[in-house]
Amino acid sequence: VSTQSTGLEGKRVELDGEYREARERWEQSKKTDGSIMSELEELRTKMGALQRKRDKISQEADRLKNKKKEIVAETTKAEHEFDSKKKQIEEGTEMANSRCPRIETRKKPDQLVKSIRRLEQQINKSSISQSEIDSLANQLEEIKAKFLRKKSAIKDINQLATELKSAQADREKHYFTMRKEISYRLSILFSMNLSQRGYSGQIKVDHKNGELNMQLNMPNRKTHDVKSLSGGERSFSTVCFICSLWCLMESPFRCLDEFDVFMDLFNRRITMKMLIEYSKSSNIHKSQFILLTPQNLSTVKEEDKVGMKILQLDAPTRF
């Protein structure tokens, strides 16, 4: 529009020049003779045509000027709207970036709008009320408190388990020490009991394999296997072993049945004396001894019978 207006303005200036030139020529022609009247008339006609053309161009120039003003106004308005939209886009972009990073997509805006509306509908369907949120929050706090109590209880249990393991280790250590000491004392007591008959020996306890080995040394011979002893010797060694165990244990009752069946008179006398001394010793005087024998008590001295209660059955009637 600006280019056209400039062209028309040039044409109008050109026509004005031609008009002035024609007018000058017309003025000069008045001084001449009538021969030039026709030329003057022709020039007047041409001048009228040029005038009409000039007026038309002036009108067109005015119309283009007005059009230019309208276009400038619309351009200014469009620039303002563009700046406003650009600012809105920048603010929206900044807000969107603050909520989530920008996602590159090839979807069209209407497709994105549909997706957003669909997601909003899903969110509305899955949304819960404030009361439900408060209820869930209370449940969460209860679960947290319960978890902390359980955690504290587990900590206490772990500490107790550690202390129990330590106590168990100490008890096992004392147990193995005591077991070793008892085994050693058992062998010593067994040897002391055997010495009353002139024997010697020892007891070896294999705790790992659960075995007990008894070794006896008889006068002028050495015996490892108890099965090779006579019945009286085996019975005497058994009583010695039992008496050795009695010294290492506590029990309110101690019973022996037919312990002297296979003993001779000498072994029976020594055995009875040893049992009576054991029953009257200070370390086991709280126990009650019950001795059952089919033999008579002729080998027991009267002073040794003090404190004893003897129950003797009548001899069976034979027909």
Side-chain angles (χ1 to χ4, degrees), residues 9-99:
E9 189 70 23
K11 288 183 179 181
R12 188 178 67 174
V13 172
E14 183 180 356
L15 291 174
D16 288 339
E18 291 179 357
Y19 173 77
R20 285 193 297 271
E21 183 180 358
R23 187 174 183 83
E24 289 175 356
R25 288 172 62 186
W26 180 73
E27 292 292 336
Q28 291 176 2
S29 64
K30 286 182 178 181
K31 298 177 180 181
T32 60
D33 53 358
S35 60
I36 58 176
M37 289 299 292
S38 59
E39 183 180 356
L40 180 63
E41 191 68 27
E42 181 182 357
L43 289 174
R44 186 180 291 115
T45 303
K46 187 176 182 180
M47 186 178 64
L50 291 174
Q51 182 66 35
R52 289 191 296 272
K53 189 174 183 180
R54 176 179 174 276
D55 294 339
K56 184 178 180 181
I57 292 174
S58 297
Q59 293 176 0
E60 184 68 17
D62 294 337
R63 187 184 68 79
L64 291 175
K65 285 181 179 180
N66 294 331
K67 185 68 174 179
K68 179 181 179 181
K69 291 179 180 179
E70 293 177 358
I71 292 173
V72 170
E74 291 178 356
T75 303
T76 304
K77 182 179 179 182
E79 288 177 351
H80 289 315
E81 291 180 354
F82 174 78
D83 293 337
S84 177
K85 295 296 182 181
K86 183 179 179 181
K87 185 177 180 180
Q88 291 179 2
I89 292 173
E90 290 177 351
E91 292 176 353
T93 302
E94 183 178 359
M95 183 182 297
N97 290 330
S98 65
R99 295 182 178 180

Side-chain angles (χ1 to χ4, degrees), residues 95-113:
M95 183 182 297
N97 290 330
S98 65
R99 295 182 178 180
C100 65
R102 185 178 182 89
I103 300 175
E104 298 296 335
T105 179
R106 295 183 179 179
K107 292 183 178 180
K108 296 181 179 179
D110 56 345
Q111 294 177 339
L112 293 175
V113 170

